[in-house]
Amino acid sequence: MRHALIFAAGLGERMRPLTEHTPKPLLSAGGKPLIEWHLERLAAAGVNYVVINTSHLAEQFPEALGDGSRWGLRIRYAYEGPVPLETGGGMLNALPLLGAEPFLAINGDIWCDLDLTTLPAEPTGRAHLVMVDNPAHHPNGDFRLDEQGQLHDDGAPRLTYSGIGVFRRELLDGWLETVGNTADADAKPPRFKLRPLLEAAIAVNALGGSHYRGEWTDVGTPQRLAELEADLSHA
């Protein structure tokens, strides 16, 4: 994979007051902003072009990251406007900046030591999601992963979507019909979640996945950020 998308547009409301003046992906852990960990791993995996979608305090991203040349990357920024477009709308908004090939997408507010070269460059379906064990704050998980690497929206045990996946552009085909003609989907640009598109892919057995058992943290609260900082400082 040569292209990647980093979701970095969220308001970080649960991280306040830390995010009142700093976007969540630019908060530091282990001596560097969360998003820099992703950029380093993307570069190490052979990715050379990264799109970062932005909204909240958007101007801080190019100030902190520049054009990506320090990591051997080319960075483009996809501004969503003052209100984030959710994951589905954000991906759709960034799509014109991404190539025709499958691309890797990562949530900017997670930390994970996954070797990104282990991910499939060509998903067997519309997308391949990296799943992890359910954290305490999300005990019921998201999807069930079978022995053939297919994801399902029923049954148990369920795993949690890590916020890392490989996506084909086709996942967004017919997105409006899938998410419904809601007020937000009718907006310019449209705002909608990715989940309905994933469920639509599951319905036709077109969503694959893998179970990662390594280190992963959803850095959603100041407490979890402090815990990650403590873990990295003792690593």
Side-chain angles (χ1 to χ4, degrees):
M1 284 167 293
R2 297 179 298 170
H3 294 180
L5 169 65
I6 300 180
F7 292 105
L11 299 176
E13 294 175 317
R14 291 177 301 160
M15 290 291 285
R16 290 177 178 168
L18 299 179
T19 50
E20 290 179 356
H21 304 289
T22 304
K24 185 159 54 167
L26 289 180
L27 294 174
S28 290
K32 68 187 77 171
L34 292 169
I35 199 169
E36 285 197 24
W37 290 95
H38 294 324
L39 294 173
E40 289 176 355
R41 289 196 167 96
L42 288 169
V47 171
N48 54 33
Y49 177 86
V50 178
V51 176
I52 300 175
N53 67 356
T54 63
S55 175
H56 177 57
L57 301 174
E59 70 283 353
Q60 293 191 25
F61 287 96
E63 292 173 358
L65 308 175
D67 62 2
S69 57
R70 79 182 84 161
W71 299 280
L73 299 168
R74 180 186 177 200
I75 292 178
R76 295 283 300 277
Y77 299 94
Y79 181 57
E80 298 186 0
V83 180
L85 300 178
E86 302 282 2
T87 45
M91 184 177 288
L92 182 68
N93 183 64
L95 211 57
L97 298 177
L98 294 162
E101 301 173 4
F103 56 90
L104 202 157
I106 303 181
N107 290 355
D109 57 357
I110 64 167
W111 190 93
C112 185
D113 63 357
L114 172 67
D115 178 358
L116 299 177
T117 63
T118 63
L119 298 180
E122 296 282 345
T124 55
R126 299 176 189 173
H128 177 99
L129 307 186
V130 176
M131 309 298 292
V132 295
D133 292 334
N134 301 329
H137 62 274
H138 192 60
N140 297 324
D142 294 308
F143 303 118
R144 175 173 61 88
L145 179 67
D146 69 24
E147 294 181 356
Q148 289 71 45
Q150 291 292 313
L151 288 167
H152 304 270
D153 201 18
D154 60 357
R158 298 166 79 87
L159 298 170
T160 291
Y161 173 43
S162 67
I164 303 173
V166 181
F167 295 83
R168 294 186 184 273
R169 299 172 67 92
E170 290 79 5
L171 180 72
L172 289 156
D173 289 349
W175 66 268
L176 183 56
E177 180 181 351
T178 301
V179 304
N181 194 13
T182 64
D184 285 344
D186 237 3
K188 304 290 184 185
R191 181 179 302 108
F192 59 94
K193 295 182 182 297
L194 193 63
R195 174 84 186 217
L197 304 181
L198 299 178
E199 292 172 348
I202 283 177
V204 293
N205 293 318
L207 191 67
S210 54
H211 185 185
Y212 183 63
R213 295 173 171 83
E215 296 298 323
W216 173 85
T217 300
D218 173 10
V219 191
T221 64
Q223 179 181 349
R224 277 182 247 152
L225 179 63
E227 291 170 352
L228 175 62
E229 175 66 36
D231 289 344
L232 293 175
S233 66
H234 291 99

